[in-house]
Amino acid sequence: MEFIKELWQFLKVRKKFWMLPLIIILLFFTLIIVFTAGTAIAPFIYSIF
């Protein structure tokens, strides 16, 4: 939780709000890869990349 607080403070202080969508998209793709690694969906996910 501390990392998220520090990241938010960094974005707020440095006015780097444009980085927020990039972080969210990367987190989303990471979760998709982690949760579908052992399923039948995995070949379709890996073909995207």
Side-chain angles (χ1 to χ4, degrees), residues 1-37:
M1 236 12 214
E2 188 69 28
F3 176 73
I4 295 171
K5 288 178 187 177
E6 288 182 22
L7 181 63
W8 178 250
Q9 289 175 353
F10 170 79
L11 294 174
K12 193 167 60 169
V13 170
R14 306 258 192 235
K15 308 244 187 285
K16 302 272 186 195
F17 292 113
W18 59 270
M19 290 178 69
L20 199 58
L22 296 173
I23 294 169
I24 291 171
I25 289 171
L26 286 174
L27 181 64
F28 177 71
F29 279 127
T30 302
L31 291 174
I32 286 176
I33 290 171
V34 167
F35 288 126
T36 62

